[in-house]
Amino acid sequence: MITNIFIFVMHVYGLIFFSLLLLCLETATSNHLGAVGGYDKERDALLQFKANLQDPYGILSTWTADGDECCKWDGVTCNRKTGHITMLDINSGALGGQISHALHNLSYLTHLDLSINSLYGAIPTFIGSLTRLRYLNLGSNHFNGTIPRSIGSLTKLKYLDLSDNSLYGTIPSEFGNLTNLQRLELGDVGRCTVENLEWLSHLSRLEVFEIYGVSLAKQNYWVDVILSLRKLSDLGLGGCELSEVMHPYSSSLNSSSSIVSLSLEQNNLNSSMYRWLFPLTTNKLRDLSLSSNTLDLVPKYLGNLCNLTSFYMLENSAVVNFPDILNNLSGCASHRLQDLFVRGSQFIGSVSDEIQKFSSLEQLDLSDNHLNGTISDKLWELPRLTNLNISFNYFRGVISGNIGRSKTLVIDLSKNPLQGVPPTYHMSNLSYVRIIDLSSCKLGPGFPKWIQTLKNLSYLDISNNGISDTTPLEFWDAWPSRLKYLNLSSNNITGKIPDLSSNFISRSVIDLSSNNLCGLIPNVSSTLASLNLSRNKFNGGIFFLCQMVNRTLEFLDLSHNVLSGQLPDCLWNFKELKVLNLGHNNLFGRLPASLGYVAQLEVLYLHGNEFFGELPLSLKYCTNLNFLDLGANKFSGNVPAWIGENLSGLYALILGSNNFAGTIPLQLCQLANLQILDLSMNHLHGTIPWCFNNLTSMVQDGSLAPPYLHPYSTIFGISDRGIITDQEYIDHVMIEWLGDEREFIRTNLELLKMIDLSRNNLTGQIPYELTNLCELLALNLSNNALLGEIPQQVGQMKKLLALDLSRNSFSGGIPSSMSQMTSLSYLDLSSNHLSGRIPSGTQLQSFDPSKYEKNTGLCGPPLSKKCPGDEEPEIPSVVGESGGDVEDIDEFWGWFYIGGGTGFATGFWIVCGTLLLNRRARHVFFLFYDSLKDWIYLKAVLCIVNLKTVDT
């Protein structure tokens, strides 16, 4: 019986066990099938997301329909247990396009980072449906439109970044629902505003809040809201118009701040702001930026912030006495302050001995101010100072011998009227220095030989120091494979330079320009980023280029030397070259085909050599060119049509003073960015293209983003830090201007818009479309065979400063509209067949008569030839009258002139006296005069309109 009961119980338990097992298997199978279905759905969503994007660098190349499972794709992370996609991280800097709506199927996402791309369009509202998100970063893209309110549904978010976009509208108050948010970055989000900042007070867990460029001008008591955030440590309110807030805080405010880092730059704040800054600055504060404001002092309470380590007051527009700053910061803050940056402000005074109190100072940047006097000896005794920049000031005197005690790694004293440096034994003790800039510090005339004792140097700039000496041979061997930057330019250094192939490390810079160096150019390092040997006396060929198997060179300037020979056909080595300047030498021969392999080339300057032949077809592959100057050579053949078809970025095309023939190709009209066109002094024939009005830059107001600047950067490592020194090449051009050859550079080149087709064999008329180039500053069509009349619409080119139509066969009259060209400062219409009266206008009568000569039909000022009707009528003599009668007439006219003069004087003073003494009469008279003048002007305008109507 017991056995049967036991067996029955076991059966029951077995049934229960197997039932549970079957239930688990069914559930697991169901979950597995569901996961597989969800997996396919998410995988398809990623493929649709990719299909919507431009991916020029193949960032998403692993995302393929027939490839591995999507969890192994780049940027994708899945949950190991469920297989669902939980992270999408593609901050590549390369993707373009809009976010596909398919992305909403990734409902298990907790982390979405699409920052640092070129995504555009509106931020999709479905983002709010991804409710599991804890991290959302869409920063540094091109999103526009408004910020979706649906983001307020992402209540689990801890990190939100929408910065660096082009959004507009208001910051949604729904952000107040994001109560778990710890970091909110809205810096440079676009043209956004805040209607009410109250929502911010709900984010009690917020630690970082940056809202640069968003107006808070109407947000009274914003300081109270900030102080209510008890965990807030980093606050950035740059460019928020805080100076316009009427009541930034309430009078009952008694909270204290937890802020560690505070930035209030670009708010146009003056010193009245210090009353509300006080509650935001406690002893927790470490970093404070007040840059780009209008502060005329620093309050002493900032000097009592005992944990302050960084203080920034750059580009401050008010005049501040620097010794006062040091004094007010010399409380307990002076013992911890490590970084003091006040670059580009209006600081005056000197670096006083007060500087010795800042014993923890590591970085001091006082550059680009108005500081003067001598530099305190105590500065060089600061024990932790590693980076010193006091350039672009007015410090005088000899540098103190205490400089030898300094352990500074970076010293920049450039652009000060200093009187040199102390004796060699002081300077030789700078054994720690790695970067030293003493440009424009009057080190000459002898070469400073102490420099070669500084064995740790990687950066040296002693340009423009009046050095008239040779460089010692041991100087070049002082830093084997160590130098990163060497600048000896703008001195009078003579002699030859030795082999430089082993002195420099990767991506280094050599600038020896504007000296008197001579001889052959030696071998140089194959790892250079920049080589400038221009304006010297180097001779011989340039085949040393073929020894540079160089993929890093970006800048090469050998101009203004006496180099000769051909351009070697080995330029395919220079894959990164942006600027090639070989102008003003004696180079000759045909341009090599390898020039077309320099795909990154932006500037090709070969002006003033002896190159000949047709331009190589391979040059059309240099599609990044924006400045092409081949002037003053012996190039021949037709002006290539591919210049207009392939080099669409050109803003300067200079082919003048060559032997080009044929017609001007219509394809040049496709160069919408063109601002400078010089085809002068060639053998061109045919007509001027009618389509020149398609040269958009000559029609539209303003200038392009400066295409004349070609930047490149080199990083100089110092310990665990890095200093980035931006290098740039500035275009320059020699053109004929106002009758003389002139060099244009930088700012005047930016605005220059000109066409020079002079000294060719062009025929036909000036197309009226040319007069649509209303932004043109100079037009030279002289020395051609142009004919017909000058277009009547020429007067609409009101910005023209120079117009030269001389030595053609123009006929007819000078258009009356030219009297409206009030900006003209140079005009030459000589040697044509013009006729009629020169239109009256301030400008046209101010030019020398020679500018109108050899136009036999012209008359009127400034010419001495009078026009018909301009002669004064002669008084006829009476024939047969006796001498007595003549005397009677003379006596009559004498008394007539006396009486008339007396009467005029009497009447004049009666009228003027009345006007001077009688205010009412004076008022009535001038009222009548103004009415009469307006009546005459109105009649004249109506008459002109009627005449034009009759003509048409």
Side-chain angles (χ1 to χ4, degrees):
M1 183 68 180
I2 296 174
T3 304
N4 290 336
I5 294 172
F6 176 77
I7 292 172
F8 174 76
V9 171
M10 291 300 295
H11 276 292
V12 171
Y13 275 112
L15 287 171
I16 294 173
F17 174 75
F18 280 110
S19 298
L20 291 172
L21 182 61
L22 288 172
L23 181 63
C24 290
L25 287 172
E26 183 180 357
T27 303
T29 303
S30 176
N31 286 342
H32 176 70
L33 292 174
V36 170
Y39 172 83
D40 289 339
K41 187 177 182 181
E42 294 175 14
R43 185 172 183 271
D44 291 342
L46 288 181
L47 291 174
Q48 291 181 52
F49 171 68
K50 175 187 176 181
N52 233 33
L53 301 177
Q54 295 91 46
D55 184 12
Y57 299 107
I59 302 298
L60 306 181
S61 59
T62 59
W63 295 26
T64 58
D66 55 351
D68 294 331
E69 60 182 63
C70 65
C71 294
K72 295 182 180 180
W73 291 352
D74 291 340
V76 179
T77 304
C78 299
N79 185 294
R80 292 182 179 180
K81 293 181 179 180
T82 66
H84 289 297
I85 297 173
T86 56
M87 291 182 63
L88 188 59
D89 197 334
I90 315 172
N91 52 357
S92 65
L95 297 179
Q98 300 187 31
I99 297 179
S100 168
H101 188 268
L103 209 62
H104 84 282
N105 289 323
L106 304 182
S107 55
Y108 289 89
L109 272 184
T110 61
H111 182 111
L112 178 59
D113 189 346
L114 301 177
S115 63
I116 320 177
N117 281 291
S118 297
L119 302 174
Y120 56 85
I123 297 175
T125 55
F126 73 75
I127 289 286
S129 67
L130 304 177
T131 54
R132 287 182 171 88
L133 278 179
R134 289 175 170 80
Y135 183 104
L136 176 59
N137 190 347
L138 302 178
S140 298
N141 279 287
H142 304 301
F143 290 116
N144 52 33
T146 59
I147 300 175
R149 297 185 180 276
S150 61
I151 291 180
S153 302
L154 305 177
T155 55
K156 294 183 179 181
L157 267 186
K158 294 183 178 181
Y159 184 108
L160 175 60
D161 187 349
L162 303 178
S163 60
D164 294 307
N165 279 291
S166 302
L167 303 167
Y168 57 84
T170 59
I171 306 296
S173 59
E174 285 81 359
F175 276 14
N177 298 332
L178 308 178
T179 54
N180 287 302
L181 207 60
Q182 296 174 4
R183 189 180 187 103
L184 176 58
E185 297 195 17
L186 301 174
D188 295 317
V189 71
R191 302 186 309 276
C192 291
T193 58
V194 174
E195 285 186 355
N196 192 326
L197 201 60
E198 191 271 338
W199 58 266
L200 185 63
S201 62
H202 299 295
L203 309 185
S204 58
R205 299 184 181 182
L206 199 63
E207 297 175 7
V208 177
F209 180 47
E210 295 184 355
I211 193 171
Y212 290 95
V214 177
S215 176
L216 299 178
K218 299 179 180 179
Q219 304 306 310
N220 287 327
Y221 311 121
W222 67 266
V223 175
D224 300 59
V225 175
I226 294 298
L227 291 176
S228 69
L229 304 174
R230 309 304 300 166
K231 293 187 177 182
L232 189 66
S233 61
D234 288 52
L235 176 63
L237 300 179
C240 292
E241 300 181 345
L242 298 181
S243 63
E244 299 182 22
V245 180
M246 298 298 293
H247 305 288
Y249 67 102
S250 63
S251 56
S252 60
L253 186 66
N254 56 12
S255 302
S256 61
S257 168
S258 59
I259 296 175
V260 174
S261 177
L262 175 61
S263 175
L264 300 173
E265 60 195 29
Q266 293 184 326
N267 277 293
N268 196 30
L269 299 168
N270 57 38
S271 296
S272 64
M273 58 87 69
Y274 288 124
R275 67 181 186 274
W276 55 256
L277 179 64
F278 180 78
L280 295 173
T281 53
T282 66
N283 270 333
K284 294 180 180 179
L285 190 66
R286 291 201 300 262
D287 303 316
L288 176 61
S289 175
L290 303 178
S291 299
S292 301
N293 284 297
T294 315
L295 304 168
D296 56 6
L297 58 87
V298 169
K300 283 198 171 185
Y301 70 74
L302 293 184
N304 296 324
L305 302 177
C306 298
N307 287 302
L308 190 67
T309 57
S310 299
F311 180 65
Y312 300 86
M313 199 170 171
L314 291 75
E315 299 177 6
N316 186 66
S317 58
V319 176
V320 185
N321 189 39
F322 184 64
D324 291 344
I325 299 291
L326 292 180
N327 182 60
N328 289 351
L329 290 177
S330 62
C332 64
S334 64
H335 304 307
R336 297 290 298 272
L337 195 66
Q338 298 174 10
D339 304 320
L340 177 58
F341 290 87
V342 296
R343 180 181 67 248
S345 295
Q346 302 292 320
F347 284 82
I348 59 174
S350 62
V351 178
S352 62
D353 290 347
E354 196 83 13
I355 195 70
Q356 66 184 323
K357 295 181 180 179
F358 296 80
S359 56
S360 295
L361 207 59
E362 296 179 4
Q363 298 194 84
L364 177 61
D365 189 347
L366 308 178
S367 62
D368 199 10
N369 277 284
H370 301 284
L371 300 170
N372 55 23
T374 58
I375 304 169
S376 171
D377 292 354
K378 305 298 182 182
L379 176 65
W380 305 110
E381 298 176 4
L382 294 175
R384 297 186 180 179
L385 189 65
T386 60
N387 193 332
L388 172 66
N389 188 349
I390 58 175
S391 61
F392 290 94
N393 278 289
Y394 300 94
F395 291 112
R396 298 183 177 276
V398 177
I399 300 171
S400 166
N402 278 5
I403 191 173
R405 300 182 183 181
S406 175
K407 297 181 180 179
T408 307
L409 302 177
V410 180
I411 297 177
D412 189 349
L413 308 180
S414 62
K415 281 72 177 181
N416 281 286
L418 296 167
Q419 303 299 316
V421 297
T424 299
Y425 63 88
H426 289 294
M427 300 302 294
S428 299
N429 289 330
L430 287 172
S431 56
Y432 294 91
V433 69
R434 299 186 184 181
I435 293 179
I436 189 166
D437 190 342
L438 298 175
S439 57
S440 304
C441 285
K442 299 183 181 179
L443 299 180
F447 192 89
K449 296 181 180 180
W450 53 265
I451 289 176
Q452 62 207 47
T453 66
L454 309 180
K455 298 301 182 181
N456 287 313
L457 272 186
S458 60
Y459 179 112
L460 172 64
D461 189 342
I462 54 172
S463 60
N464 192 32
N465 267 289
I467 299 173
S468 297
D469 200 354
T470 59
T471 53
L473 284 177
E474 56 270 21
F475 170 82
W476 301 103
D477 298 324
W479 308 279
S481 300
R482 185 173 184 86
L483 275 182
K484 187 81 171 178
Y485 182 95
L486 175 64
N487 191 344
L488 307 181
S489 66
S490 301
N491 284 292
N492 190 27
I493 299 173
T494 58
K496 301 179 180 181
I497 56 176
D499 190 300
L500 300 179
S501 58
S502 62
N503 296 61
F504 297 85
I505 58 177
S506 177
R507 303 198 63 81
S508 48
V509 174
I510 300 176
D511 188 349
L512 306 179
S513 62
S514 301
N515 280 289
N516 278 309
L517 297 167
C518 61
L520 301 177
I521 297 177
N523 291 331
V524 295
S525 172
S526 291
T527 60
L528 292 180
S530 171
L531 176 62
N532 190 348
L533 303 179
S534 64
R535 300 182 187 274
N536 279 285
K537 296 179 180 177
F538 290 111
N539 56 44
I542 55 175
F543 282 93
F544 76 95
L545 294 177
C546 296
Q547 307 301 318
M548 301 175 67
V549 184
N550 190 321
R551 297 184 181 274
T552 61
L553 192 70
E554 296 184 38
F555 172 89
L556 177 62
D557 190 349
L558 305 178
S559 63
H560 295 275
N561 281 286
V562 285
L563 300 170
S564 58
Q566 300 186 33
L567 183 57
D569 194 11
C570 59
L571 299 180
W572 49 72
N573 290 329
F574 301 96
K575 302 296 185 183
E576 301 297 324
L577 193 63
K578 295 181 180 179
V579 176
L580 177 59
N581 188 345
L582 304 176
H584 303 282
N585 279 290
N586 299 320
L587 299 168
F588 61 86
R590 298 177 182 273
L591 295 185
S594 61
L595 191 59
Y597 289 88
V598 191
Q600 301 300 319
L601 199 62
E602 298 175 4
V603 174
L604 179 58
Y605 189 100
L606 303 179
H607 194 103
N609 281 284
E610 300 289 329
F611 292 113
F612 58 78
E614 297 185 1
L615 301 185
L617 183 62
S618 62
L619 192 59
K620 73 178 184 179
Y621 299 115
C622 298
T623 54
N624 287 322
L625 272 175
N626 55 38
F627 185 95
L628 179 60
D629 188 346
L630 307 179
N633 280 283
K634 296 180 179 178
F635 291 112
S636 58
N638 293 335
V639 175
W642 51 257
I643 290 180
E645 294 170 342
N646 295 77
L647 309 184
S648 58
L650 280 180
Y651 85 92
L653 175 60
I654 301 167
L655 303 178
S657 301
N658 277 288
N659 296 318
F660 287 109
T663 60
I664 301 175
L666 294 178
Q667 289 83 352
L668 294 188
C669 299
Q670 299 176 29
L671 300 175
N673 296 325
L674 200 65
Q675 296 183 187
I676 302 171
L677 175 61
D678 184 359
L679 303 178
S680 64
M681 298 183 69
N682 280 287
H683 306 296
L684 301 173
H685 63 265
T687 59
I688 298 173
W690 58 269
C691 56
F692 270 179
N693 61 338
N694 292 332
L695 303 176
T696 310
S697 269
M698 299 186 186
V699 178
Q700 294 180 349
D701 189 14
S703 60
L704 304 172
Y708 56 90
L709 295 180
H710 306 275
Y712 51 97
S713 299
T714 304
I715 300 178
F716 303 97
I718 304 171
S719 178
D720 57 345
R721 302 181 182 182
I723 293 179
I724 298 179
T725 299
D726 292 323
Q727 309 293 318
E728 63 183 16
Y729 173 78
I730 304 171
D731 293 336
H732 58 93
V733 58
M734 296 294 297
I735 62 172
E736 186 173 314
W737 180 261
L738 306 185
D740 298 310
E741 191 172 48
R742 178 179 170 185
E743 183 174 31
F744 282 77
I745 193 168
R746 205 177 180 92
T747 51
N748 56 6
L749 179 61
E750 175 188 4
L751 301 175
L752 179 62
K753 299 181 180 182
M754 57 86 67
I755 294 177
D756 190 348
L757 306 179
S758 64
R759 302 178 191 178
N760 281 287
N761 301 312
L762 299 175
T763 56
Q765 300 184 351
I766 299 177
Y768 75 89
E769 291 89 351
L770 194 67
T771 62
N772 291 330
L773 305 181
C774 53
E775 293 298 310
L776 208 61
L777 299 184
L779 176 63
N780 191 345
L781 304 179
S782 65
N783 286 275
N784 279 289
L786 298 169
L787 47 77
E789 296 187 351
I790 301 172
Q792 292 296 321
Q793 304 93 329
V794 70
Q796 67 188 22
M797 305 174 75
K798 294 182 180 180
K799 292 191 176 181
L800 269 183
L801 301 176
L803 176 62
D804 193 343
L805 304 179
S806 64
R807 296 170 181 82
N808 281 285
S809 297
F810 292 117
S811 57
I814 298 175
S816 58
S817 64
M818 287 186 65
S819 61
Q820 304 169 18
M821 302 171 70
T822 55
S823 297
L824 271 180
S825 56
Y826 181 89
L827 174 67
D828 194 344
L829 302 177
S830 63
S831 299
N832 281 287
H833 305 302
L834 299 171
S835 60
R837 182 188 297 275
I838 298 174
S840 297
T842 306
Q843 297 301 109
L844 299 184
Q845 272 66 50
S846 67
F847 296 112
D848 190 272
S850 64
K851 302 305 179 183
Y852 300 99
E853 68 181 8
K854 297 185 180 179
N855 287 284
T856 55
L858 281 182
C859 60
L863 297 177
S864 57
K865 180 180 178 181
K866 299 185 184 304
C867 296
D870 288 349
E871 291 82 6
E872 295 180 3
E874 297 180 2
I875 300 173
S877 59
V878 181
V879 181
E881 295 285 344
S882 64
D885 292 336
V886 173
E887 292 177 1
D888 290 341
I889 291 173
D890 290 343
E891 183 178 1
F892 168 79
W893 284 110
W895 284 107
F896 175 81
Y897 292 140
I898 294 171
T902 305
F904 173 78
T906 304
F908 175 80
W909 283 111
I910 288 173
V911 173
C912 288
T914 304
L915 293 177
L916 288 171
L917 299 175
N918 191 323
R919 185 177 66 179
R920 183 174 182 182
R922 184 167 66 248
H923 176 74
V924 171
F925 172 76
F926 284 112
L927 185 63
F928 167 75
Y929 172 76
D930 288 338
S931 300
L932 179 63
K933 181 178 66 174
D934 293 341
W935 181 82
I936 294 173
Y937 174 75
L938 179 60
K939 288 293 183 182
V941 170
L942 291 174
C943 182
I944 292 171
V945 171
N946 290 333
L947 287 174
K948 287 186 176 179
T949 304
V950 171
D951 290 341
T952 55

